[in-house]
Amino acid sequence: MESTPKDISPKSNGLSLAVSNSLSLSTSPNAIFQSSYQSPTSGFGGLRLARASTGAFPKQLKPFATEDIKILLLENINQTGRDNLTNQGYQVDFHKSSLPEDELIAKIRDVHVIGIRSKTKLTARVLREAKNLIVIGCFCIGTNQVDLQYAAQHGIAVFNSPFSNSRSVAELIIGEIISLARQLGDRSNELHKGTWNKVSNGCWEIRGKTLGIIGYGHIGSQLSVLAEAMGMSVIYYDAINLMALGSARQVPTLAALLNDADFVTCHVPELPETKNMIGSRQLDQMKKGSYLINASRGSVVDIPSLIDAMRSGKIAGAALDVYPSEPGGNGDYFTNDLNPWAEDLRSLKNIILTPHIGGSTEEAQSAIGVEVSEALVRYVNEGTTLGAVNMPEVNLRSLTMDEPNHMRVIFIHHNIPGVLRKVNEVLGNHNVDKQMTDSRGDVRFRHLAFEAHAEFD
């Protein structure tokens, strides 16, 4: 990436070209990508692509200087991801935690790729200093920690892992449903203090109870199957109509779900329409003695309203894994200095508080490490944007050693009239094997990839 870009036309009419420096894989891929029905795609989320083996004999592909690529990995990215990137020959700078913004700005100025999880905030102020940055890898589901609009407008692709930790989150929710129904948290805390308190009042089996799932995407649909296997009835609410798995049933409104469910669990992204999605009015609509679980985003539940509902006895128990403000690292930080209601929340009975660990299993983090690192490698090495959350999905075949005079150009620009005509004028005198173009109008840019025969000095 550090070699000097070369213009393929001496008469460019003033058009400035962004030319990739031989964007082709340094090692042969053994997979293609195809649309795959993994689970119903939530109206609060998006469809992603799944990996499938080709079985084809790999060809030797054209090499490029991978050692020129500088990568910054923060927040203890799993070893599988680090190994994938290191094995490509990239320069990898690894850190176990997030960095303060000023230190992050100093670090990011020199890198081409950054890998983060949920704590690092890539704001416009940070990205403005990242002059060499071409791609961001979010080693998690969410991307709300990245200014996607700014990244797209400046040609920075963003990738995430939309379903690798779905099973881990779904299993956590099942455990919390049982724990809340049996008040296991309180009984455990009492016995740790030496108090024997054997009671059955207010303790229930979950068999025959109704689970209400808000957001029937990758996590919600897996949870639906697990809950039915435990003997629960499942209803769900989503912004779009989705096919139910098993005997689950979609309800037309959020109010209908809240009125009927014994347990309500949230699985939606952080969007303007999901902010305080569960507030005092929605809590009033829930059954008396019902339970609330949130392992999605901290802005979804209005926690002061939840505290009031639990103190009044309207809500019998709750489990929270996410919060509006979360610490940047481990330590004694969950206090009123972080969130003004933290101590009131901690004082409640039958409430499970966990530090955003829904996807924190060895299996999930390993799978996320593989998925996101492979997406980064494909983008850096050959410009493939399959799975990008802020760019059109464009994919061209890999260049091989049988094509010594071939090159690939990736040109990202604002989606304004006249640019394509100027690009075609530049390419008009060359033999273009393949040309793909697409756009995402909301971010006003197009991503074009070319394979062209060209001779260079």
Side-chain angles (χ1 to χ4, degrees), residues 227-408:
E228 283 201 340
M230 301 290 292
M232 301 187 78
S233 298
V234 176
I235 58 176
Y236 63 93
Y237 168 72
D238 202 288
I240 61 174
N241 291 326
L242 295 168
M243 186 183 75
L245 299 183
S247 300
R249 175 173 58 88
Q250 186 165 7
V251 295
T253 64
L254 177 59
L257 181 142
L258 298 174
N259 289 335
D260 291 345
D262 300 299
F263 295 84
V264 173
T265 179
C266 304
H267 301 284
V268 297
E270 185 174 64
L271 299 170
E273 55 266 36
T274 62
K275 182 176 177 60
N276 292 332
M277 190 178 195
I278 305 297
S280 58
R281 184 166 66 89
Q282 290 74 27
L283 291 164
D284 286 342
Q285 293 171 341
M286 292 175 63
K287 287 183 176 181
K288 181 175 176 58
S290 57
Y291 305 84
L292 178 66
I293 300 171
N294 183 26
S296 57
R297 285 294 178 259
S299 61
V300 172
V301 174
D302 179 42
I303 294 182
S305 295
L306 174 62
I307 293 171
D308 291 341
M310 291 190 66
R311 283 176 172 170
S312 71
K314 174 71 174 183
I315 303 300
L320 301 176
D321 189 47
V322 289
Y323 311 90
S325 297
E326 298 180 358
N330 294 338
D332 298 330
Y333 304 122
F334 197 69
T335 65
N336 282 7
D337 292 334
L338 183 69
N339 293 294
W341 36 254
E343 293 175 17
D344 287 338
L345 186 69
R346 287 160 45 193
S347 70
L348 296 173
K349 293 291 187 181
N350 202 26
I351 187 162
I352 300 171
L353 303 177
T354 50
H356 205 150
I357 59 169
S360 296
T361 63
E362 294 286 355
E363 295 90 345
Q365 291 306 307
S366 177
I368 289 171
V370 171
E371 181 181 5
V372 179
S373 65
E374 288 184 351
L376 295 176
V377 168
R378 287 192 302 272
Y379 186 74
V380 170
N381 289 7
E382 60 177 2
T384 296
T385 57
L386 294 180
V389 301
N390 68 333
M391 283 196 178
E393 295 191 314
V394 175
N395 183 31
L396 290 179
R397 65 176 177 81
S398 301
L399 299 180
T400 72
M401 296 299 290
D402 298 331
E403 303 161 304
N405 295 324
H406 282 57
M407 66 166 295
R408 176 165 293 161

Side-chain angles (χ1 to χ4, degrees), residues 44-201:
F44 300 105
L47 182 65
R48 288 294 178 263
L49 300 174
R51 224 166 166 260
S53 176
T54 65
F57 187 78
K59 289 185 177 181
Q60 184 180 7
L61 303 182
K62 293 178 69 174
F64 84 105
T66 57
E67 66 273 9
D68 291 340
I69 304 299
K70 297 179 180 179
I71 297 181
L72 176 63
L73 296 181
L74 303 177
E75 301 184 68
N76 202 25
I77 300 301
N78 190 268
Q79 188 69 46
T80 56
R82 285 143 53 191
D83 288 345
N84 275 352
L85 298 171
T86 302
N87 291 340
Q88 288 291 317
Y90 306 146
Q91 301 177 43
V92 178
D93 182 10
F94 168 75
H95 296 260
K96 286 191 173 182
S97 64
S98 59
L99 299 176
E101 187 172 71
D102 289 342
E103 188 176 346
L104 175 60
I105 287 173
K107 284 275 189 184
I108 205 172
R109 287 190 175 115
D110 196 36
V111 302
H112 303 96
V113 181
I114 185 169
I116 62 172
R117 294 177 69 187
S118 59
K119 298 294 185 295
T120 300
K121 307 301 181 186
L122 295 181
T123 62
R125 177 175 180 259
V126 173
L127 294 177
R128 193 175 295 118
E129 302 296 326
K131 304 302 184 184
N132 294 327
L133 192 67
I134 60 173
V135 60
I136 298 166
C138 296
F139 287 75
C140 51
I141 291 180
T143 56
N144 57 294
Q145 69 275 39
V146 179
D147 189 330
L148 296 178
Q149 181 81 6
Y150 186 94
Q153 289 177 343
H154 292 79
I156 303 170
V158 180
F159 295 88
N160 70 335
S161 178
F163 48 76
S164 288
N165 68 358
S166 301
R167 177 71 181 202
S168 294
V169 178
E171 288 187 3
L172 177 67
I173 301 306
I174 289 293
E176 289 177 335
I177 290 171
I178 296 172
S179 296
L180 290 173
R182 299 295 298 274
Q183 301 177 14
L184 294 184
D186 288 354
R187 300 295 85 79
S188 178
N189 287 336
E190 290 163 355
L191 205 53
H192 274 281
K193 296 175 182 178
T195 301
W196 185 276
N197 186 23
K198 182 178 179 179
V199 296
S200 59
N201 183 43

